[in-house]
């Protein structure tokens, strides 16, 4: 007797709900959010660099 592999399930019936295609408007919003997050992180890093360059405040 030759061992056989079980037949894989039909993925069209077993696909998880998150596997559904993302609507174009939602995809655009997600891209825009990622872009804005990147800008915010860049600004925070620039502020940190500028603060390091400042002389210490009087009394510190």
């Amino acid at each position: 007797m030759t061992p056989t592999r079980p037949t894989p399930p039909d993925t069209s019936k077993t696909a998880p709900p998150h596997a559904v295609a993302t609507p174009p408007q939602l995809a655009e919003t997600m891209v825009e959010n990622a872009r804005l997050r990147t800008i915010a992180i860049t600004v925070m890093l620039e502020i940190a660099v500028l603060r390091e360059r400042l002389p210490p405040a009087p009394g510190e």
Side-chain angles (χ1 to χ4, degrees):
M1 181 173 174
T2 307
T4 60
R5 292 185 176 194
T7 306
D10 183 2
T11 55
S12 66
K13 295 177 185 170
T14 60
H18 65 272
V20 176
T22 305
Q25 186 177 3
L26 178 58
E28 289 174 20
T29 301
M30 291 169 68
V31 169
E32 181 68 7
N33 284 347
R35 188 181 73 82
L36 293 173
R37 227 177 292 123
T38 301
I39 291 170
I41 291 169
T42 303
V43 169
M44 288 188 288
L45 291 173
E46 289 289 334
I47 290 170
V49 168
L50 292 173
R51 282 186 175 160
E52 287 178 3
R53 293 183 186 173
L54 287 175
E60 286 187 26

